């Protein structure tokens, strides 16, 4: 009798080979990725029931999706996070299936290609063996912490036992992914196997009779119960440094559950209750969903043309780094600047980026070869997309466009990285203004995921689609915005920074103002941010966006002394070795953070009302990703909607 005959499976394909090995291919119905939903877990249970009666010689779990093994649990099932009983039930259900898989008498193996994330990794950890298909996109991660939750399906127990406490805690507390090579080094997988031999390797390995891997050496020692308190104290200190105001509970919960409950989440019901009832988890999941929404804007549509060659004009801070990022992502880039030295500097930075990001020497070389210095601008006539990132000056940009446009190939796109100029004005003298789009990257390009895609009224749908898909191809998150001063992100940052400067005018120390916002949950205070951006740039943005208000006196005074912030070594702070030298902050007056946030919230709302961004959720996504606005708050407008009404003293 055939296995498949006995069961109706929607998400799995089951077959047995002549050696009696069962091959269980996971291929979730109606989805491009595999997700561990309740239905998938139920089918897996059904399969295990079946094997209790007809045990295979070995069981190999693999994915039928090109995208990878598993993309984690189905977060749509986390909807009722505040219903603690449901959460506990969800955890118990997963643990039960995985514990059962871990205890079966026949050998089991997870054959992993692509992403192996969250619950997917916990499933793989419950197998006796794991093999990683040796390809660039194979990666392993427990990213639950980023959603404000914990890897509760056995990951907190099995991962430290497998790779030792320090490496496991690092993965669980940061959510960072490791690639196939690192997974092998850590002992997370038994071996890496070439794609074309993956099935033979899996069939051989599952019947090898080898003992399952266990952590060795110091990693194993530090996972021993007696030594855990030491590891806990050390790690807690690091967490306090990283999150001094305790905005995030999940990392501390992971540490506690590992240290005191051997990684068994259900043994810490109070902690689970507190964590799942807090707004943080719900808001972080909200931000994750919004990121997925932005990601969807970047998926190619039928209207989009694939960009294979980009020509970048301007090899300064932004243009140089944009060119490097494009080359890193496999696109051929020609890089032009009137100053050859700027091109050479940009190549130097690109080289450092490639070495940091690409493991294989050959591929580093290939990325470098894709980045072609082109001071004469020969690439203009061949490029599918030209990105202009020259100095922020209207006449200079218009003059450049007049020179570029006649040489561009038909259908090619012209994009500006301008932060503050109107696209409509920039394109006023173009013959085809319908192909001018804003592609506004943020600084530093390699770190900032958000890219605003700026539309004018005349932008053609095909050009819009191509620009969005291009940003998606760069693995960035595109946010469509309308051509309006400051677009979204800079428009909301300016009044916030100006308000902070007004506090300095009123006599507060910059340290005190910045500290108030760090307590609030910002990664950096507004004055340190203004110094980092450059006070000349903050001034220009302020002039453009301050409306009827006059600019703060302290800003004018710094500019009069040519103190432009970090780049000149002095601004609101003195800067040494790229760091602001700070005095101890004073106690912020009560209500300071709300005062500073108010103009940011108001401007965010105005940008939605004026249609600069399509809706409030997208505005929240843009502000969180573009300014670092406390992600655990769910974004400025969400926070405002859910905030308890202020209590006024009588
Ligand atoms: P930058 O001064 O570092 O670089 C500008 C480069 O353009 C210089 O290398 C200059 O030699 C070159 N250039 C000027 N005119 C040219 C011309 N006609 N032909 C060829 N090269 C020319 O400036 P940046 O900070 O990289 O800013 C570039 C653009 O990006 C601006 O529009 C700015 O508003 C925008 N932007 C800047 C930031 C930021 O944080 N710096 C962030 C987002 C967007």
């Amino acid at each position: 009798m055939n296995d498949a005959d006995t069961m109706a499976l929607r998400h799995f394909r089951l077959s047995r080979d002549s050696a009696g090995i069962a091959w269980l291919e996971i291929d979730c119905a109606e989805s491009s990725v595999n997700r561990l939903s309740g239905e998938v877990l139920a089918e897996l249970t059904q399969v295990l029931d079946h094997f209790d009666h007809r045990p295979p010689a070995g069981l190999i779990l693999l994915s039928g999706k090109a995208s990878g093994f598993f993309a984690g649990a189905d977060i749509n099932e986390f909807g009722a996070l505040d219903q603690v009983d449901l959460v506990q039930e969800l955890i118990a259900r997963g643990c039960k299936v995985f514990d059962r898989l871990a205890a079966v008498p026949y050998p089991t193996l997870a054959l992993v290609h692509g992403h192996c994330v969250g619950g997917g990794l916990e499933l793989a950890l419950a197998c006796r063996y794991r093999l990683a298909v040796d390809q660039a996109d194979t990666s392993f991660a427990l990213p639950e912490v980023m959603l404000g939750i914990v890897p509760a399906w056995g990951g907190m127990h099995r991962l430290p036992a497998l790779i030792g406490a320090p490496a496991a805690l690092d993965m669980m507390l940061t959510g960072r992914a490791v690639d196939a090579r690192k997974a092998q080094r850590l002992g997370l997988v038994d071996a890496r196997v070439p794609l074309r031999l993956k099935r033979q390797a899996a069939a051989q390995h599952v019947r090898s009779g080898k003992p399952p891997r266990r952590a060795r050496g110091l990693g194993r020692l530090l996972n021993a119960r007696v030594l855990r308190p030491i590891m806990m104290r050390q790690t807690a200190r690091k967490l306090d440094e990283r999150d001094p105001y305790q905005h995030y509970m999940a990392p501390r919960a992971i540490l506690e559950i590992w240290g005191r409950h051997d990684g068994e989440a259900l043994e810490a019901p109070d902690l689970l209750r507190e964590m799942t009832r807090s707004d943080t988890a719900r808001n972080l999941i909200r931000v994750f969903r919004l990121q997925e929404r932005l990601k969807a804007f970047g998926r190619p549509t039928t209207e989009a043309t694939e960009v294979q060659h980009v020509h970048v004009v301007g090899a300064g801070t932004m243009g140089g780094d944009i060119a490097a990022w494009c080359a890193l992502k496999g696109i051929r880039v020609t890089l032009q600047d009137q100053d050859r030295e700027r091109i050479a500097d940009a190549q130097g930075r690109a080289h450092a980026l490639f070495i940091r990001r690409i493991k294989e020497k050959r591929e580093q070389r290939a990325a470098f070869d894709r980045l072609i210095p082109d001071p004469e601008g020969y690439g203009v006539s061949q490029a599918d997309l030209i990105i202009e990132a020259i100095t922020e000056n209207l006449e200079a940009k218009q003059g450049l466009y007049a020179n570029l446009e006649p040489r561009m190939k038909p259908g090619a796109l012209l994009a500006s990285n301008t932060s503050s100029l109107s696209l409509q004005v920039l394109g006023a003298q173009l013959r085809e203004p319908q192909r001018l789009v804003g592609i506004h990257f943020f600084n530093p390009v390699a770190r900032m995921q958000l890219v605003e895609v700026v539309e004018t009224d005349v932008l053609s749908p095909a050009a819009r689609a191509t620009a969005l898909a291009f940003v998606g191809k760069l693995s960035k998150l595109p946010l469509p915005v309308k051509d309006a001063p400051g677009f979204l992100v800079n428009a909301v940052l300016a009044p916030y920074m100006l308000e902070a400067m007004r506090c300095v005018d009123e006599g507060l120390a910059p340290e005190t103002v910045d500290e108030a916002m760090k307590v609030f949950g910002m990664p950096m205070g507004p004055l340190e941010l203004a110094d980092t951006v450059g006070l000349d740039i903050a001034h220009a943005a302020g002039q453009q966006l301050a409306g009827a208000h006059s600019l703060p006196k302290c800003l004018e005074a710094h500019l009069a002394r040519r103190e432009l912030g970090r780049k000149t070594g002095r601004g609101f702070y003195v800067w040494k070795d790229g760091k602001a030298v700070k005095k101890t902050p004073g106690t912020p007056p009560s209500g300071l953070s709300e005062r500073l946030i108010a103009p940011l919230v108001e401007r965010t709302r105005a940008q939605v009302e004026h249609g600069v961004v399509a809706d409030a959720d997208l505005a929240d996504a843009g502000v969180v990703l573009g300014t670092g606005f406390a992600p655990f708050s769910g974004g400025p407008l969400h926070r405002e909607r859910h905030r308890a009404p202020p209590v006024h003293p009588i």
Side-chain angles (χ1 to χ4, degrees):
M1 183 178 54
N2 193 314
D3 287 305
D5 294 341
T6 61
M7 281 175 287
L9 300 172
R10 250 164 62 76
H11 304 292
F12 292 90
R13 272 189 297 275
L14 179 58
S15 60
R16 248 182 237 236
D17 65 17
S18 54
I21 297 173
W23 294 78
L24 187 59
E25 193 169 80
I26 310 148
D27 195 353
C28 288
E30 292 140 29
S31 168
S32 60
V33 295
N34 288 328
R35 288 202 188 280
L36 272 162
S37 62
E39 219 181 282
V40 170
L41 284 175
E43 283 195 2
L44 185 55
T45 306
Q46 214 183 323
V47 172
L48 293 178
D49 286 344
H50 169 70
F51 287 157
D52 281 351
H53 302 293
R54 287 193 66 211
L59 166 63
I60 295 172
L61 284 159
L62 71 168
S63 160
K65 304 277 189 215
S67 55
F69 187 68
F70 258 108
D74 186 348
I75 58 163
N76 292 325
E77 296 191 350
F78 299 174
L81 215 52
D82 44 356
Q83 295 179 34
V84 177
D85 295 346
L86 286 183
V87 172
Q88 302 220 1
E89 195 188 302
L90 188 75
I91 296 176
R93 199 189 326 152
C95 284
K96 194 167 153 200
V97 185
F98 291 3
D99 286 350
R100 190 167 162 203
L101 176 64
V104 295
Y106 44 89
T108 53
L109 181 144
L111 176 58
V112 175
H113 75 268
H115 302 298
C116 178
V117 176
L121 176 51
E122 292 178 296
L123 172 66
L125 287 169
C127 293
R128 186 181 298 180
Y129 309 114
R130 281 151 299 283
L131 292 183
V133 175
D134 200 7
Q135 56 189 43
D137 66 350
T138 297
S139 70
F140 300 82
L142 289 177
E144 286 81 353
V145 73
M146 298 180 184
L147 301 181
I149 53 176
V150 300
W153 284 344
M156 289 184 288
H157 169 76
R158 293 197 176 97
L159 190 63
L162 183 65
I163 66 172
L169 284 173
D170 185 57
M171 279 184 74
M172 295 190 296
L173 295 175
T174 62
R176 261 200 298 266
V178 298
D179 62 12
R181 189 187 289 241
K182 181 147 187 209
Q184 186 183 25
R185 209 170 54 235
L186 293 174
L188 206 169
V189 297
D190 297 77
R192 282 184 290 150
V193 295
L195 178 65
R196 66 194 164 80
L197 296 177
K198 66 174 190 177
R199 282 184 169 258
Q200 292 96 307
Q204 248 172 35
H205 206 97
V206 80
R207 283 176 308 171
S208 65
K210 286 187 184 162
R213 272 180 173 271
R214 286 279 161 261
R216 281 184 288 221
L218 187 63
R220 178 193 177 123
L221 209 61
L222 290 171
N223 196 37
R225 272 172 194 273
V226 281
L227 292 185
R228 282 186 201 176
I230 304 177
M231 192 70 199
M232 278 181 83
R233 270 198 301 279
Q234 266 180 14
T235 313
R237 260 202 303 277
K238 278 193 217 148
L239 292 180
D240 286 344
E241 275 165 31
R242 221 183 289 159
D243 177 25
Y245 302 107
Q246 313 231 338
H247 290 302
Y248 297 92
M249 188 181 168
R252 291 175 175 87
I254 290 171
L255 190 59
E256 184 83 10
I257 293 172
W258 166 74
R260 292 194 211 289
H261 305 284
D262 202 19
E264 302 294 349
L266 289 171
E267 294 190 6
D270 293 345
L271 205 55
L272 282 184
R273 190 169 303 124
E274 200 187 330
M275 189 171 52
T276 48
R277 269 193 186 155
S278 73
D279 289 336
T280 303
R282 215 164 319 134
N283 288 340
L284 289 177
I285 289 171
R286 166 185 159 76
V287 171
F288 174 80
R289 286 207 176 103
L290 292 176
Q291 279 175 291
E292 295 289 298
R293 220 180 132 192
L294 294 187
K295 211 185 266 175
F297 286 125
R299 297 214 179 96
T301 59
T302 45
E303 270 182 311
T305 309
E306 192 186 349
V307 172
Q308 283 165 349
H309 176 178
V310 176
H311 182 78
V312 179
V313 191
T317 310
M318 295 303 290
D321 288 4
I322 293 168
W325 189 261
C326 292
L328 178 78
K329 291 292 164 181
I331 300 173
R332 181 181 143 86
V333 189
T334 38
L335 179 58
Q336 178 185 353
D337 199 291
Q338 62 194 13
D339 180 347
R340 280 171 195 258
E341 248 175 64
R342 299 299 298 258
I343 301 181
D345 283 353
Q347 283 182 293
R349 295 201 305 278
H351 201 175
L353 174 78
F354 301 153
I355 288 175
R356 247 191 351 262
R357 296 277 185 143
I358 306 175
K359 299 274 154 38
E360 302 275 348
K361 281 234 158 18
R362 205 159 33 96
E363 285 179 24
Q364 287 171 3
R365 187 74 245 161
F368 203 71
D369 290 346
R370 281 193 292 270
L371 178 60
I372 305 155
D374 181 18
E376 316 296 343
Y378 295 123
V380 173
S381 57
Q382 289 150 29
D384 307 305
L385 166 67
I386 297 180
I387 300 180
E388 168 275 305
I390 68 164
T391 327
E392 191 76 333
N393 177 296
L394 177 64
E395 287 75 34
K397 288 190 196 260
Q398 282 185 331
L400 176 70
Y401 297 176
N403 173 288
L404 294 174
E405 191 179 30
R407 292 187 290 143
M408 285 168 62
K409 73 177 187 188
L413 233 64
L414 177 59
S416 176
N417 188 48
T418 181
S419 307
S420 60
L421 299 172
S422 153
L423 264 291
Q424 198 192 329
V425 176
L426 276 173
Q429 290 158 12
L430 286 176
R431 255 188 298 130
E432 293 184 54
Q434 65 276 20
R435 57 171 167 168
L436 175 69
V437 62
I439 302 188
H440 184 220
F441 290 84
F442 293 90
N443 189 8
V445 175
R447 268 229 318 271
M448 297 293 287
Q449 270 194 297
L450 188 76
V451 176
E452 290 176 324
V453 174
V454 190
E455 302 168 34
T456 60
D457 292 341
V458 296
L459 180 68
S460 78
R464 179 185 193 268
T466 300
L468 288 169
F470 166 69
V471 175
K473 185 170 174 174
L474 296 182
S475 321
K476 300 273 180 202
L477 298 173
L479 174 67
V481 292
K482 291 272 170 352
D483 184 20
F487 314 128
L488 173 70
V489 172
N490 288 343
V492 309
L493 268 181
Y496 161 67
M497 290 199 279
L498 292 179
E499 194 62 23
M501 293 176 198
R502 284 191 196 101
C503 293
V504 175
D505 279 355
E506 291 167 21
L508 283 178
E511 286 86 350
T512 310
V513 177
D514 278 350
E515 190 65 10
M517 293 322 297
K518 286 177 80 172
V519 176
F520 176 86
M522 295 303 214
M524 184 187 275
L527 298 167
E528 187 176 347
L529 182 64
D531 264 5
T532 307
V533 170
L535 297 188
D536 50 342
I537 292 177
H539 184 260
Q543 271 182 326
Q544 187 190 28
L545 297 162
H549 301 287
S550 59
L551 289 179
K553 292 196 179 54
C554 57
L555 177 61
E556 306 276 15
H558 282 303
L559 286 176
R561 295 195 293 270
R562 291 298 295 160
E563 293 170 1
L564 304 184
R566 182 172 152 169
K567 58 188 165 194
T568 61
R570 193 179 278 270
F572 285 98
Y573 296 100
V574 171
W575 288 77
K576 281 217 174 94
D577 303 327
K579 286 215 164 97
V581 181
K582 291 186 186 165
K583 297 192 201 85
T584 314
T587 313
S590 92
L592 179 57
S593 58
E594 292 305 331
R595 169 183 167 182
L596 293 174
I597 287 303
L600 181 150
V601 174
E602 198 183 308
R603 183 58 62 85
T604 309
R605 198 178 293 128
Q607 298 306 84
V608 178
E609 273 163 19
H610 297 148
V612 177
V613 55
D615 60 50
D617 281 346
L618 288 179
D620 274 348
V623 178
V624 168
L625 294 165
T627 74
F629 189 95
F632 59 83
S633 72
L637 298 181
H638 178 82
R639 176 179 180 273
E640 201 59 19
R641 273 199 306 274
H642 292 84
R643 206 155 62 106
V647 182
H648 294 292
I650 304 167

